[in-house]
């Protein structure tokens, strides 16, 4: 379970909303219009349990998310869910990876400070003995053209 976001962690003016996640849990999120550009040459990598609980993160994940490693390990990956992301994207992600297939897409992630960053995400099921035992997610810098397309498309997918 993740806690609601706290105003003291947010940088600048923010809006507040409540998100309902794929598993039915809810969280109050505070978000701003401040984008953190994805740095050139870095990959964000994490592994999760089959339920999406974070097991491992690399330094780039910690840096971009604004959370400490201790805050991320054991938290559900949806701690990064931005309210602008359509539920349809995550429904597709979960249905795809639970079938044991690779998923790719463009994701607007929420930072601890209320800002956001865009990624091109690839999620790969980790299969052992025919069973999905977790997921590895690798995120890279997206093209600005693709981000601009998503900014227009995602509000139509709610």
């Amino acid at each position: 379970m993740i806690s609601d976001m706290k105003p003291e962690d947010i940088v600048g003016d923010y809006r507040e909303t409540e998100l309902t996640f794929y598993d039915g849990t809810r969280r109050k999120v505070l978000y701003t219009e401040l984008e953190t550009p994805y740095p050139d040459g870095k990959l964000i990598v994490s592994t999760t349990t089959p339920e999406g609980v974070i097991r491992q993160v690399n330094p780039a994940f910690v840096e971009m998310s604004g959370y400490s490693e201790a805050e991320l390990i054991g938290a559900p990956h949806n701690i990064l869910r931005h309210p602008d992301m359509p539920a349809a994207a995550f429904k597709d992600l979960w249905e795809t990876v639970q079938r044991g297939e690779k998923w790719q897409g463009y994701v607007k992630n929420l930072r601890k400070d209320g800002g956001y960053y865009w990624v091109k995400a690839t999620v790969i099921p980790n299969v052992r003995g025919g069973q999905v035992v977790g997921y590895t997610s690798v995120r890279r810098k997206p093209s600005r053209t693709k981000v601009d397309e998503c900014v227009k498309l995602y509000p139509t997918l709610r």
Side-chain angles (χ1 to χ4, degrees), residues 19 29 31-33 78-86 90 108-111 114-117 158:
L19 296 179
V29 296
Y31 61 103
T32 71
E33 296 300 319
N78 62 21
I79 193 170
L80 302 175
R81 171 86 182 267
H82 193 282
D84 289 349
M85 282 300 299
F90 294 105
K108 184 177 185 179
N109 281 330
L110 180 65
R111 291 173 44 89
Y116 67 92
Y117 60 100
R158 297 285 162 213

Side-chain angles (χ1 to χ4, degrees), residues 85-152:
M85 282 300 299
F90 294 105
K91 182 178 188 298
D92 181 60
L93 180 153
W94 278 108
E95 288 175 354
T96 301
V97 298
Q98 287 174 342
R99 287 192 309 265
E101 299 171 11
K102 174 177 79 171
W103 181 90
Q104 287 190 324
Y106 294 88
V107 180
K108 184 177 185 179
N109 281 330
L110 180 65
R111 291 173 44 89
K112 182 179 179 178
D113 65 9
Y116 67 92
Y117 60 100
W118 282 94
V119 299
K120 179 181 181 185
T122 302
V123 182
I124 304 161
N126 302 322
V127 180
R128 305 286 182 271
Q131 295 287 92
V132 174
V133 297
Y135 304 103
T136 298
S137 181
V138 178
R139 278 83 78 202
R140 53 187 45 86
K141 184 175 184 169
S143 76
R144 200 71 228 177
T145 301
K146 289 292 187 184
V147 168
D148 293 343
E149 289 173 14
C150 292
V151 168
K152 292 176 186 167

